[in-house]
Structure formats: structure tokens, C-alpha cells
């Protein structure tokens, strides 16, 4: 590892007292503590050249134990200075080279971050891929006085004239919204309007509000939470990745039509009012906290008198995506079932374990009584440890970290709470009760497990005289349900990502159980949005993060078994329904993806990818141990060309059909030539990919 000196320097603007300096580690590429410097020192001075400098922290003698998520408190004391210099003498190993990375440098004085917004100089700085040195000091100066916009309330009063015959609202709130009309929910939908690449597509919902309005004064209320749109880092709770498309925002158009054929339009504009919401923590991976004392009483009712905490809304641009409605939307996520606890274990007076008997994508529904300021914390988990407490190893990665729902009571009798912005795959809830200032614990009156997922219509079921078959089917169906969200996720407890291979591998099974046409219609839009200019369909869509390097040689981003969902999903949909809409809509982009694969292939053999991911081999499961990557990759490459040949025939694209047919024959010949000597692999019944490939190529 190279020994050198590289530095970053912050100008505080004037000489000021300093009590503490903190370095926040970067969370990047699915990893905490990314690129944290190994050895470094911190010095201060009143001149920018540091001719008269004082070293206040020195970690150059041995490698610093890099934090993964929590800040490193590298200095505590009492010193005065204008300039802070971090000199790195030993770099971290990053990818193929060396460097160092930090998320934030905070300089504390009297409880405030005096480095906030101050200029940064650096001997070296990577200003690409969203990195920039100015981000090192972009944290707020005084977090105690800064409004908590983990959620946001918006409201608008308006008058309705007599003889209203129709009221239709078109609304999008990012990342997730709940709309009320005169205090009543406009729908049962959760996590609306749906997860997308918001720079490409922003979905909106349409609601008929006619029956919710009255003559005279009415009120629209909207609460916004973070969701996939804004995932912030956390020093304690679990976060899979960090990403933001900007501050919370909403767009609304309410169209009122009257019997005299006049039309009245209510739009989002500066006349709307806004204030921080009662959800004080909103993270799709870390949880959701709600403080009932912070919800203004009657805020979404007509005639509400706004206090000084409310301000006029700011008109702003959207995140860049095209507004799209039902043609690209998935079925809404709703509450599907409610499970009562199968068992409650009282560990301590303030610690209970609720067992709901089924692992599923869930949100708790709580009824609680207690004094103001007391609170209930609910930690979801799939497993219990030997001590009988929550074991979240299956729900996190890169270290075990918690996530929870938390409700702080207002103290006004029985209080009911149901979540808005966080769900988790879990069977158990570890429930912790915390007292009010006078030491009184809250008392749970009811706690249920509400199963939430896509409202895709169930169309099939299975039952036999064989109980093992029935249990297997039930297991698979629960797994399908728990991953049917705004797109098919890979798991509901840890990643919640749209890894694409399951859409075609599990596609037939899903279609026998549910009407998947709307959800796969939305997934095709996600894949089209994720397509790169070179034609690649990445393994994840929407591509909220990249596992590892963005280079095409990274199988976690470029694997034909994953990206080919863009070809296989619409083909399967056609086979099941006869519907050619997806084939027509995405044909050109599908063609571009297959062309990309052709440029990637070497002599018609695919060499990059994940292959038979996570097969069972002699080592701990990881990657493809028993099957070459080219074996499955090339087979799917052949299948893509064969499907495109059949699609081109169906769409009467004769020249394309001939070209794809010829390409598939060449790939088949290259495949058989490359793998004929390994025919004995085909005779291993347990080796599923080999049988699949044999089916593809004969």
C-alpha cells in the first residue's frame, strides 16, 4: 500500500474555538466505511499555508480502525483556528488502485457545525459520478433547529360550487404519498405512486373524489415520505444503499366538473401550505418513527388555522422523469390480510416477542394506551436467537444492524396507528416499551400483523392429496406474495431490489397464481428506463445502485441471465395471453439489447455474467461453482435470439426474423462446439442449468 501525503483543507472563515472534529465514513457501492483513510493526521492553523501549524490528532503510526457507519471522533479538546487540514499518509485500497473517501467533515463549536458550507481545498479530488469536494461540508450548521423533513404535510382549502357532477384528482407525491379529502383517505393504497427511476419516469395516480367533496369549503391534505426516492445514510439503523433524487415534492391537479358544463381546476401552486410532518424518521430500510404530538390537529380539514410552523409551498421542477399513469403503473400495494399473534412471550415488563406464525411482507397495526411521551418500538425479524430475542442476521448485510417502527404517544386515551412508509419481511416483532418522563410505560391493547403487497389479482391455486406438495406450494406462494411490490423484489427483508432474473425464471409460476400483466407492464417500463445507451439492460431495474464496479466486465451489472428478462418477460406474456402489446412497444429496445450482447460475445460465446448463481458446490455458496459462466450465459444468449426470431415473425418483420434465426443457429453451433466434451454434465439430474441449456439448444 503506497505511502504518500495528500490532503484536504477547510477554511472556517475566521479563527474560531473548536471542541470536536468528526469524520463520517462514506457508504458507497453497497459498503460502509468505503475508502476510509488508513493513516492520517489533523492539524490546525490561522494561515492557509500552515507555516505555523499545530497537530491536534495523529494516526500515522498504525492503521486507523475505520468505522463502517458511525462517525470517527478524531479530536476532542479546546483549540482555536481558522483552517483545518487532514493529511492522509496511507491510502485505502479502492478497486484496482488506492485512494481515500469521506462523506463529511464536521467541526464542532458550541454544539454547532462551523464547517457547514465552508470552502474545501484538496490536492486531489475525484469530481465524477456525483463525487465533489464541496459535499464534504454540506451538512447543516445546527441540526437542533433545522426542520425535520423526514415527512412533509401539504394542504389546500378550496370551495366547491353547487351541482358538482365529477371530481377527479391526478396526483404524484415523491417518494410516497397519502392523500386525504376533508380528513378522509382517498384510497387504501400504500407506497403510491410506485418506485421508478424518477429521472426517467414519475408515476401518478388517478382518484375519483366526487363522493368525498361537499358544497362550500373543502380541504386536500397530502403527507409525503421518503421511500425509494430518498434513502439517506444512518449511523445506527440498517441501510442497504444511499440515494436521493431530491427533496420531497408533489404535483396535484383536481378537475371539478359541474352540471352547467363549467370546469374548475385546482393545481399545486404557492397557495398550498406546507410544514414538517409527524413522521420523524422515514427510511425504506431503516424504519419509520411517528410522533403523535407533532401532527397538527385538523390539519387536513377545511378551515384549519395554520400556525407559524406552516409556510407557503415552493414551486419547483420535478426530478426529470416523464409523468406516466396507468399504462406504466403496477397494481397498487395494499393491505391484503391481517394476522393476529400466534404467541406472545413476555421477556421483561417492557420487552415482548410477538410471533405471528408466518414470515411475510408486513406492517404492524398498533392500538396503545399510555402517557404522553412514552413510546413503543417494534423491531421486525425473521429469526430469533438462542436468547429468544430478535436475530436480524438475515435482514442485513455488512454487519448486523437494527430497523424498527416507533410510535410516540400523545397521551389522549387509546391511540391507533398504522404505518405509511416502511414495510419489512418478518415473522416476529420484538416490542420494546419506553416510559414517559414520569416513568410510566405504555400498554399495548392490540398489535396485529398486516400483510402488504401488490394487489395483483389472484387467478389460480393448487391443492393435492400430497401434503408435501401442498406445503411446498404454500411456501412458494408466500415467497411470491412477499416480493410482489411496485416491482418483483429479490427479498422483502434485506435488499428490496428489482434483480431481474426472477421475472422470467418464476414468470410462469407467477402467472398461474396471479394476473401479472399490469405488474410486468410496469417492469418492462423500468427495464427500458434502465437501458444504457450501449444497449445494456443492467441486472437491476430500476438501477438504484450498482453492486461493485459500473464496468461491463462486472457480472453483478452485466449478466445475460438477468438482463434477458427484457426479452423473455414479454415473450412469456404473449404465450400466456396472446397479447402482443409489450412486443410491439419495446421491440426496438429489445433488439438493441440483443445487439449489445452480440458485441459482447466472443465468437458467439458469452464470457461475462453470474452464471448459475449460488449453486451448491464444495465451497460456501457464492457465484457459480460447478458451471462455467459461459455455459448458461451463451444458452440464454441463444434463447434471446430464438425468441426475437419468433417475435419478428409475429410482428411481420421478415428481414429481422431471418437475421435472428441465422444468429441463433450460429450461437447454437458455437455452444455445441465449446461444450460437447462436457456432455457428461447433462446426465446429472440435480444440475438444473444443464437441463435448461440442453432444452434450449436442441
Amino acid at each position: 500500500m503506497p505511502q504518500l501525503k495528500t490532503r484536504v483543507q477547510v477554511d472556517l472563515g475566521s479563527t474560531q474555538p473548536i471542541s470536536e472534529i468528526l469524520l463520517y465514513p462514506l457508504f458507497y457501492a453497497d459498503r460502509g466505511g468505503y475508502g476510509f483513510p488508513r493513516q492520517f493526521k489533523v492539524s490546525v492553523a490561522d494561515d492557509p499555508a500552515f507555516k505555523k501549524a499545530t497537530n491536534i490528532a495523529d494516526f500515522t503510526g498504525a492503521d486507523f480502525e475505520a468505522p463502517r457507519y458511525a462517525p470517527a471522533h478524531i479530536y476532542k479538546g479546546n483549540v482555536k483556528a481558522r483552517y483545518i487540514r487532514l493529511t492522509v499518509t496511507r491510502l485505502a485500497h479502492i478497486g484496482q488502485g488506492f485512494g481515500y473517501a469521506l462523506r463529511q467533515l464536521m467541526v464542532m463549536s458550541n454544539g454547532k457545525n462551523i464547517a457547514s458550507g465552508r470552502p474545501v481545498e484538496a490536492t486531489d479530488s475525484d469530481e465524477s459520478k456525483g463525487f465533489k469536494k464541496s459535499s464534504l461540508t454540506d451538512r447543516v450548521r445546527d441540526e437542533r433547529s433545522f426542520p425535520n423533513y423526514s415527512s412533509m404535510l401539504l394542504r389546500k382549502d378550496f370551495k366547491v360550487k353547487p351541482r358538482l357532477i365529477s371530481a377527479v384528482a391526478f396526483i404524484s407525491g415523491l417518494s410516497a404519498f397519502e392523500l386525504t379529502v376533508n380528513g378522509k383517505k382517498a384510497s387504501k393504497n400504500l407506497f403510491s405512486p410506485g418506485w421508478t427511476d424518477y429521472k426517467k419516469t414519475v408515476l401518478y395516480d388517478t382518484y375519483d373524489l366526487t363522493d368525498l367533496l361537499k358544497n362550500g369549503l373543502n380541504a386536500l391534505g397530502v403527507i409525503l415520505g421518503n421511500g425509494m426516492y430518498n434513502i439517506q445514510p444512518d449511523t445506527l439503523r440498517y441501510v442497504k444503499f444511499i440515494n436521493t433524487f431530491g427533496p420531497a415534492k408533489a404535483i396535484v391537479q383536481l378537475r371539478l366538473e359541474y352540471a352547467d358544463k363549467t370546469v374548475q381546476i385546482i393545481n399545486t401552486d404557492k397557495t398550498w401550505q406546507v410544514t414538517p410532518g409527524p413522521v420523524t424518521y422515514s427510511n425504506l430500510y431503516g424504519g419509520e418513527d411517528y410522533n403523535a404530538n407533532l401532527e397538527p390537529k385538523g390539519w387536513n380539514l377545511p378551515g384549519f388555522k395554520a400556525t407559524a410552523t406552516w409556510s407557503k409551498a415552493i414551486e419547483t421542477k420535478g426530478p426529470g422523469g416523464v409523468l406516466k399513469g396507468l399504462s406504466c403503473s403496477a397494481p397498487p400495494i395494499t393491505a391484503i390480510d391481517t394476522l393476529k399473534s400466534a404467541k406472545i412471550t413476555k421477556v421483561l415488563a417492557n420487552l415482548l416477542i410477538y410471533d405471528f406464525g408466518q414470515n411475510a411482507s408486513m406492517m404492524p397495526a398498533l392500538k396503545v394506551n399510555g402517557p404522553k411521551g412514552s413510546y413503543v418500538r417494534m423491531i421486525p425479524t425473521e429469526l430469533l436467537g438462542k436468547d429468544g430475542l430478535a436475530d436480524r442476521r438475515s435482514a442485513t448485510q455488512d454487519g448486523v444492524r437494527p430497523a424498527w417502527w416507533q410510535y410516540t404517544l400523545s397521551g389522549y386515551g387509546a391511540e391507533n396507528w398504522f404505518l405509511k412508509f416502511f414495510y419489512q419481511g418478518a415473522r416476529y416483532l420484538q416490542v420494546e416499551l419506553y416510559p414517559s418522563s414520569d416513568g410510566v410505560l405504555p400498554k399495548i391493547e392490540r398489535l396485529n400483523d398486516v400483510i402488504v403487497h401488490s394487489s395483483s389479482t389472484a387467478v389460480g391455486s393448487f391443492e393435492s392429496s400430497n401434503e408435501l406438495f401442498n406445503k411446498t406450494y404454500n411456501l412458494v406462494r408466500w415467497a411470491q406474495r412477499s416480493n410482489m411490490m411496485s416491482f418483483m423484489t429479490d427479498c422483502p427483508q434485506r435488499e428490496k431490489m428489482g434483480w431481474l432474473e426472477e421475472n422470467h425464471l418464476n414468470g410462469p409460476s407467477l402467472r398461474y397464481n396471479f394476473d401479472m400483466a399490469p405488474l410486468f407492464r410496469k417492469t418492462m417500463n423500468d427495464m427500458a428506463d434502465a437501458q444504457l445507451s450501449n444497449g445494456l439492460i443492467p441486472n437491476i431495474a430500476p438501477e438504484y445502485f450498482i453492486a461493485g464496479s459500473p464496468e461491463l466486465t462486472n457480472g453483478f451489472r452485466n449478466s445475460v441471465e438477468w438482463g434477458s428478462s427484457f426479452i423473455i418477460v414479454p415473450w412469456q406474456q404473449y404465450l400466456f395471453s396472446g397479447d402482443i402489446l409489450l412486443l410491439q412497444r419495446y421491440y426496438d429496445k429489445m433488439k438493441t439489447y440483443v445487439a449489445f450482447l452480440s458485441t459482447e460475445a466472443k465468437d458467439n460465446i458469452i464470457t461475462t455474467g453470474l452464471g448459475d448463481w449460488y449453486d451448491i458446490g464444495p465451497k460456501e455458496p457464492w457465484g457459480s461453482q460447478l458451471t462455467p459462466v459461459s455455459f448458461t450465459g451463451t444458452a440464454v444468449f441463444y434463447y434471446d435470439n430464438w425468441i426475437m426470431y419468433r417475435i419478428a415473425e409475429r410482428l411481420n418483420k421478415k428481414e429481422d426474423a431471418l437475421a435472428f434465426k441465422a444468429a441463433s443457429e450460429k450461437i447454437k453451433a458455437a455452444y455445441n462446439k465449446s461444450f460437447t466434451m462436457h456432455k457428461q454434465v447433462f446426465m446429472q439430474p440435480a444440475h438444473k442449468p444443464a437441463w435448461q441449456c440442453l432444452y434450449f439448444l436442441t
Side-chain angles (χ1 to χ4, degrees):
M1 191 175 296
Q3 300 280 351
L4 50 80
K5 289 185 178 181
T6 182
R7 66 177 184 269
V8 61
Q9 185 169 307
V10 178
D11 179 2
L12 300 178
S14 62
T15 300
Q16 300 185 55
I18 298 169
S19 59
E20 187 174 11
I21 298 177
L22 301 89
L23 297 181
Y24 279 76
L26 182 66
F27 186 89
Y28 179 71
D30 206 16
R31 282 168 285 170
Y34 181 88
F36 199 89
R38 294 296 179 260
Q39 296 182 18
F40 58 90
K41 64 180 180 179
V42 179
S43 50
V44 296
D46 285 326
D47 64 290
F50 276 68
K51 293 180 179 179
K52 294 183 179 180
T54 302
N55 288 337
I56 58 173
D58 193 331
F59 302 98
T60 59
D63 282 2
F64 189 84
E65 187 174 347
R68 306 197 67 75
Y69 309 102
H73 299 257
I74 60 172
Y75 170 76
K76 286 187 177 182
N78 185 15
V79 67
K80 290 185 177 181
R82 172 174 175 172
Y83 297 94
I84 313 294
R85 177 180 287 182
L86 172 72
T87 303
V88 178
T89 58
R90 190 179 179 106
L91 301 175
H93 191 194
I94 299 178
Q96 301 298 316
F98 295 87
Y100 72 100
L102 295 168
R103 177 161 63 90
Q104 195 72 201
L105 189 154
M106 292 180 63
V107 181
M108 306 303 295
S109 180
N110 296 319
K112 297 180 179 180
N113 175 24
I114 58 175
S116 176
R118 300 307 307 166
V120 178
E121 294 182 5
T123 52
D124 304 282
S125 180
D126 179 0
E127 301 283 318
S128 66
K129 302 173 184 176
F131 294 118
K132 50 187 178 181
K133 58 187 179 184
S134 60
S135 298
L136 196 63
T137 57
D138 63 358
R139 197 151 178 162
V140 298
R141 181 180 180 89
D142 187 0
E143 294 187 357
R144 294 171 298 183
S145 62
F146 193 75
N148 183 344
Y149 277 104
S150 293
S151 65
M152 188 164 69
L153 302 180
L154 299 95
R155 68 175 315 278
K156 167 72 176 179
D157 279 349
F158 62 98
K159 290 184 178 180
V160 173
K161 298 182 296 185
R163 302 182 67 197
L164 176 73
I165 62 172
S166 173
V168 179
F170 308 93
I171 175 172
S172 181
L174 301 178
S175 167
F177 74 87
E178 182 180 274
L179 172 67
T180 58
V181 182
N182 297 329
K184 297 180 180 179
K185 292 183 181 180
S187 78
K188 297 179 180 179
N189 299 354
L190 301 167
F191 306 105
S192 291
W195 306 329
T196 59
D197 179 345
Y198 302 99
K199 293 181 180 179
K200 301 286 187 66
T201 295
V202 175
L203 299 174
Y204 67 88
D205 287 357
T206 303
Y207 299 119
D208 183 349
L209 305 183
T210 309
D211 293 339
L212 294 175
L213 297 177
K214 60 182 181 180
N215 290 342
L217 194 64
N218 292 263
L220 292 178
V222 179
I223 181 170
L224 300 177
N226 284 330
M228 285 289 189
Y229 177 81
N230 184 28
I231 297 176
Q232 291 296 306
D234 196 292
T235 59
L236 176 60
R237 302 197 218 188
Y238 172 64
V239 177
K240 166 64 181 176
F241 64 95
I242 57 174
N243 191 28
T244 183
F245 291 86
K249 57 190 66 176
I251 184 169
V252 180
Q253 182 183 89
L254 174 60
R255 187 180 189 275
L256 305 175
E257 185 176 347
Y258 296 93
D260 62 1
K261 298 188 184 301
T262 59
V263 174
Q264 178 185 0
I265 302 295
I266 308 296
N267 287 322
T268 38
D269 56 24
K270 294 179 182 178
T271 64
W272 285 63
Q273 298 169 302
V274 60
T275 192
V279 178
T280 58
Y281 182 91
S282 173
N283 189 298
L284 193 64
Y285 295 93
E288 179 177 344
D289 296 352
Y290 177 92
N291 189 336
N293 301 285
L294 300 180
E295 180 164 358
K297 186 177 181 179
W299 72 273
N300 53 1
L301 295 175
F304 171 76
K305 301 300 182 183
T307 63
T309 63
W310 290 80
S311 58
K312 290 183 178 180
I314 299 173
E315 293 184 1
T316 183
K317 294 181 179 180
V322 176
L323 280 167
K324 298 180 182 179
L326 188 61
S327 65
C328 294
S329 296
I333 299 168
T334 61
I336 304 296
D337 292 317
T338 299
L339 302 180
K340 295 182 178 180
S341 57
K343 181 181 179 182
I344 303 175
T345 303
K346 187 175 182 179
V347 182
L348 298 170
N350 65 335
L351 179 60
L352 305 97
I353 302 295
Y354 280 70
D355 179 0
F356 294 100
Q358 176 61 54
N359 193 4
S361 53
M362 60 89 72
M363 301 167 73
L366 174 69
K367 183 177 182 181
V368 63
N369 204 321
K372 179 178 180 179
S374 62
Y375 60 95
V376 181
R377 178 177 294 176
M378 295 160 284
I379 300 174
T381 182
E382 294 184 310
L383 306 169
L384 296 180
K386 294 180 180 179
D387 57 2
L389 302 180
D391 180 351
R392 284 184 46 82
R393 284 178 295 176
S394 68
T396 64
Q397 64 186 74
D398 197 23
V400 179
R401 304 174 73 194
W404 62 73
W405 296 279
Q406 184 166 297
Y407 179 81
T408 300
L409 283 73
S410 63
Y412 295 105
E415 303 179 39
N416 291 282
W417 182 52
F418 182 62
L419 288 301
K420 301 181 188 298
F421 305 123
F422 173 63
Y423 79 98
Q424 177 84 64
R427 171 178 169 175
Y428 306 94
L429 287 178
Q430 178 170 302
V431 179
E432 302 172 356
L433 307 176
Y434 292 85
S436 59
S437 57
D438 58 3
V440 180
L441 293 172
K443 181 180 179 181
I444 294 177
E445 296 187 10
R446 183 179 63 245
L447 179 58
N448 290 335
D449 176 347
V450 180
I451 307 301
V452 298
H453 58 69
S454 167
S455 56
S456 296
T457 305
V459 296
S461 60
F462 171 85
E463 187 175 4
S464 74
S465 60
N466 188 306
E467 190 59 24
L468 178 60
F469 289 172
N470 294 338
K471 288 182 177 180
T472 302
Y473 170 78
N474 190 52
L475 180 71
V476 171
R477 188 181 178 92
W478 271 111
Q480 291 175 335
R481 291 177 60 184
S482 294
N483 285 288
M484 290 172 57
M485 304 306 285
S486 186
F487 43 74
M488 291 301 301
T489 65
D490 60 327
C491 58
Q493 84 289 5
R494 183 171 62 90
E495 291 204 5
K496 304 178 183 178
M497 283 286 95
W499 290 92
L500 294 176
E501 85 293 352
E502 63 196 79
N503 292 290
H504 69 85
L505 291 178
N506 203 232
S509 175
L510 283 163
R511 289 180 178 88
Y512 282 123
N513 283 322
F514 303 96
D515 176 8
M516 295 298 295
L519 186 54
F520 280 144
R521 180 181 62 205
K522 192 265 186 181
T523 299
M524 287 297 292
N525 185 78
D526 291 338
M527 290 189 281
D529 281 352
Q531 188 170 34
L532 274 58
S533 59
N534 61 10
L536 169 69
I537 301 293
N539 294 9
I540 302 172
E543 195 179 25
Y544 293 124
F545 84 105
I546 299 172
S549 166
E551 302 301 323
L552 297 181
T553 53
N554 175 18
F556 285 100
R557 195 186 195 201
N558 174 22
S559 187
V560 62
E561 298 91 341
W562 275 249
S564 291
S565 279
F566 197 50
I567 309 298
I568 303 173
V569 165
W571 177 246
Q572 288 179 344
Q573 192 62 29
Y574 165 69
L575 294 179
F576 267 75
S577 66
D579 186 359
I580 63 173
L581 176 63
L582 295 180
L583 306 181
Q584 292 173 321
R585 180 181 293 178
Y586 295 104
Y587 179 82
D588 289 340
K589 287 182 174 291
M590 294 160 65
K591 185 177 176 180
T592 300
Y593 176 58
V594 175
F596 163 79
L597 294 177
S598 298
T599 62
E600 284 287 292
K602 298 178 181 179
D603 298 324
N604 288 309
I605 298 294
I606 295 292
T607 58
T608 300
L610 298 179
D612 183 17
W613 176 251
Y614 241 63
D615 60 359
I616 304 300
K619 302 177 183 178
E620 286 294 316
W622 184 258
S624 179
Q625 298 186 46
L626 302 178
T627 309
V629 166
S630 297
F631 188 69
T632 52
T634 306
V636 177
F637 179 38
Y638 162 81
Y639 193 38
D640 286 346
N641 278 270
W642 182 86
I643 289 174
M644 291 299 293
Y645 151 57
R646 296 298 304 275
I647 293 173
E649 277 191 326
R650 181 65 182 81
L651 300 181
N652 200 30
K653 299 178 181 292
K654 296 180 180 179
E655 291 186 7
D656 282 359
L658 291 174
F660 283 122
K661 183 178 181 181
S664 64
E665 291 298 325
K666 290 180 180 178
I667 298 167
K668 179 198 294 186
Y671 179 92
N672 287 333
K673 180 180 179 181
S674 296
F675 298 108
T676 298
M677 66 182 66
H678 302 299
K679 276 188 176 179
Q680 65 272 16
V681 176
F682 294 166
M683 303 308 295
Q684 298 176 7
H687 198 40
K688 180 180 177 182
W691 286 105
Q692 287 178 330
C693 299
L694 186 63
Y695 167 75
F696 288 155
L697 302 191
T698 53

